[in-house]
Amino acid sequence: MELLSQSIRNELQRDLHIHDSAVLPNFVNLPQVTGAEYTRLYLTALEDTLNKYPPPQPSTAAVNLLVTVGQQQEFLIWHSLLPPPGHPGSLDALAVFTPHVERWIHNSQDALCQRCHQLEGSTQALQGGATGEDGKSHIAPLVGEMLQRIQAEVARYERVITYWPSFGPSLEAAVCAALRTTTAAVSRQCGLIPMIGSEEEVHMSNMPPHQRKASNVYGAAGPPQKSPRLWKFAPARGAPAGATTVLPYEAVLLNSLRRLLTVVPQTEHTLSRWCGGPDGQRPGSPNAGPPSPNRDGPPPPGALTHDGPGPHLGAQFAQLVKELRSEYAAAVTACAERIAGALFQRPGYSINATLHRHGISGTPSIMQQQVGPVLEAMEDILAALLRSLDGRVYVAVGRGLWDFTSKDIYDYVDSLQEGKENKGAWRGRQNAAAALDVVDNFFTAVLSGTLQHDLQSKDLDLPLHSDRAHKLLAENTAAINMSYTVY
């Protein structure tokens, strides 16, 4: 079919030269007559071939045929030889190949999702080595292979999307479906499960993983939410009870989700570039003006068969990013909460208990000394996180630990009320403020020292409970100052 198309164009070029030489009478337009007949016969042969031997996938031969037919249509339009719609010789390459391209994309999506399910059952999240000194880039084998397959599958459509950008949203939907399946599979492999309790939580547990609610987000996703924590990691076999470091399954899932979050914008950029970019004017767009007929030489590739400017891409990717960030937030919160809870359960490592014992009777200097062992243990925890997690994941979990540590202080401050049963609450608030300053300075110094040039300004913003505690202490101080105002 490709050779036949080229032969037809060569014949039409000769007919155009005969017409331009004025050998025939003016009322005889040889190229229009032969072009309509050639195109009718070619279209009949093309449809017969595609019906008998439909291309099952976007192979090189199939894409070559697609481009060839598109070039045939461009040639006819360029020389004003294409018959009007409804004529037996009217060639519409996009209409001819749309069912085939849509079938290719659908088959690619099904194949990717089926492969993901196979990998979920045949691989383990820790297969290929555990996290450790070289574990920052360690992700689940399932995620690694799926990302490679998705990238390779998308690359097969480069010439199709570049030639006809209208198929971009269909390929975007297929990629999003494959990434959703991958996210759900790796979450199940690593044991991120719902905490069944209330009716709402039971309902949430039956929803797809990408629709889970996140209770908190630390770092890149903005301020934490106030919804109850609904997710936790299943107890891992062989995991020590009360472990105060990130567990292997937690590290693998967090690193994997972070990798997925970086892949989505990269893929969106690739598709957008193939489609001409969000603001780029494609050849043949409405603003480009109509082509002049009978120009010498062939038309530019895709000059006349493109369906206007590139389609709007990104809405489906944006929704996928929201779902991935929700999943990532749930995993970060569950990990940070488990580590903080294990540390604070140790005797003498609860700042809240220390404040209840010494908050009223002690002094700020004593409180700083009492908080010291907790922060020393936290420093060891953060060092272990740095060895096991991706840099941005380390920031998210570190800020989560900062938030849960501040929550111990906030709960104490919130419980203080002036009155007969709690005399000296002002001193308790004073000691709590001293402890809070030590905690904030500690996490600020550690994050700054470990991140160095990778530090972002938002990384040192106060987390939720630290900010709440500072505001609550400021309100109480203002109230005390007003009570002692003479005038």
Side-chain angles (χ1 to χ4, degrees):
M1 297 303 294
E2 297 175 43
L3 294 177
L4 178 59
S5 176
Q6 184 61 49
S7 299
I8 291 175
R9 291 199 294 270
N10 292 337
E11 287 294 327
L12 290 175
Q13 284 283 10
R14 296 188 186 97
D15 293 343
L16 286 168
H17 287 304
I18 293 173
H19 181 73
D20 294 339
S21 64
V23 175
L24 299 175
N26 291 334
F27 62 85
V28 178
N29 193 328
L30 180 62
Q32 285 189 348
V33 175
T34 56
E37 184 62 16
Y38 287 155
T39 304
R40 181 185 67 82
L41 296 174
Y42 181 79
L43 185 58
T44 301
L46 175 65
E47 292 177 344
D48 183 62
T49 300
L50 291 176
N51 289 333
K52 289 183 178 179
Y53 310 102
Q57 56 185 345
S59 61
T60 301
V63 176
N64 286 342
L65 179 60
L66 179 149
V67 174
T68 298
V69 176
Q71 290 174 346
Q72 179 78 4
Q73 181 182 353
E74 290 173 355
F75 179 88
L76 296 172
I77 297 175
W78 190 258
H79 296 286
S80 300
L81 300 178
L82 184 67
H87 189 281
S90 179
L91 175 62
D92 187 346
L94 181 62
V96 171
F97 280 96
T98 290
H100 300 282
V101 176
E102 293 290 353
R103 187 181 72 252
W104 295 345
I105 296 176
H106 180 73
N107 291 342
S108 295
Q109 175 182 326
D110 288 346
L112 288 171
C113 292
Q114 289 176 6
R115 180 55 182 166
C116 183
H117 291 310
Q118 293 173 357
L119 291 172
E120 182 181 0
S122 61
T123 64
Q124 296 181 358
L126 300 183
Q127 184 177 337
T131 56
E133 291 290 337
D134 59 346
K136 291 186 179 182
S137 61
H138 182 66
I139 61 176
L142 178 150
V143 173
E145 179 172 338
M146 284 304 302
L147 291 181
Q148 292 178 358
R149 286 180 175 270
I150 291 173
Q151 182 180 9
E153 197 67 22
V154 169
R156 302 176 71 189
Y157 291 90
E158 178 176 2
R159 294 178 64 199
V160 177
I161 303 300
T162 302
Y163 206 81
W164 278 318
S166 59
F167 293 113
S170 297
L171 185 58
E172 178 187 8
V175 172
C176 289
L179 290 174
R180 283 192 181 97
T181 303
T182 303
T183 303
V186 72
S187 295
R188 289 191 294 266
Q189 273 195 337
C190 294
L192 188 63
I193 60 174
M195 298 174 60
I196 305 300
S198 65
E199 181 179 350
E200 178 187 6
E201 293 171 357
V202 174
H203 172 69
M204 286 287 294
S205 67
N206 295 323
M207 296 176 64
H210 65 269
Q211 297 181 10
R212 298 171 179 175
K213 289 184 179 179
S215 63
N216 218 329
V217 179
Y218 303 106
Q225 304 297 321
K226 300 180 181 180
S227 57
R229 297 181 175 87
L230 301 177
W231 302 93
K232 69 175 182 178
F233 284 95
R237 288 175 296 179
T244 56
T245 187
V246 62
L247 299 177
Y249 280 99
E250 295 173 335
V252 168
L253 179 60
L254 292 170
N255 288 336
S256 298
L257 293 176
R258 180 66 191 178
R259 180 72 63 85
L260 289 168
L261 278 169
T262 61
V263 165
V264 175
Q266 295 171 358
T267 307
E268 180 181 359
H269 174 74
T270 299
L271 291 184
S272 179
R273 178 169 50 84
W274 292 350
C275 292
D279 300 320
Q281 178 176 297
R282 301 199 60 86
S285 67
N287 296 328
S292 300
N294 299 325
R295 292 182 179 178
D296 293 332
L304 303 175
T305 53
H306 282 307
D307 46 339
H312 176 69
L313 291 173
Q316 299 175 86
F317 281 129
Q319 177 61 33
L320 176 62
V321 168
K322 291 181 181 179
E323 297 166 4
L324 281 172
R325 291 167 79 87
S326 177
E327 191 85 357
Y328 178 65
V332 168
T333 303
C335 178
E337 185 174 25
R338 182 195 59 77
I339 294 175
L343 176 64
F344 299 156
Q345 287 177 0
R346 294 180 179 179
Y349 284 85
S350 172
I351 298 179
N352 185 278
T354 301
L355 284 169
H356 277 93
R357 287 196 305 269
H358 305 289
I360 303 298
S361 59
T363 62
S365 59
I366 294 178
M367 282 307 309
Q368 293 175 359
Q369 295 176 1
Q370 294 292 327
V371 173
V374 179
L375 299 184
E376 291 177 3
M378 193 65 72
E379 186 173 8
D380 295 336
I381 293 173
L382 292 172
L385 293 179
L386 187 62
R387 292 192 299 267
S388 303
L389 299 177
D390 171 87
R392 299 313 303 173
V393 179
Y394 162 76
V395 173
V397 179
R399 286 181 57 81
L401 293 173
W402 185 358
D403 184 70
F404 283 110
T405 306
S406 302
K407 184 178 182 300
D408 253 16
I409 301 174
Y410 171 79
D411 290 342
Y412 172 76
V413 175
D414 191 46
S415 68
L416 290 178
Q417 296 292 334
E418 292 286 356
K420 296 181 180 179
E421 298 180 358
N422 197 13
K423 296 181 179 180
W426 64 273
R427 187 180 294 277
R429 283 190 286 269
Q430 185 182 41
N431 290 330
L436 185 61
D437 288 339
V438 173
V439 169
D440 290 341
N441 292 335
F442 165 79
F443 279 99
T444 299
V446 172
L447 292 177
S448 300
T450 53
L451 295 177
Q452 297 181 356
H453 298 298
D454 296 330
L455 182 69
Q456 300 179 12
S457 58
K458 60 185 177 182
D459 296 337
L460 302 182
D461 292 343
L462 295 178
L464 175 66
H465 286 97
S466 178
D467 184 61
R468 285 183 176 179
H470 278 287
K471 290 179 178 178
L472 187 58
L473 288 169
E475 291 174 0
N476 290 328
T477 301
I480 291 176
N481 291 338
M482 290 177 62
S483 66
Y484 288 98
T485 300
V486 179
Y487 299 103

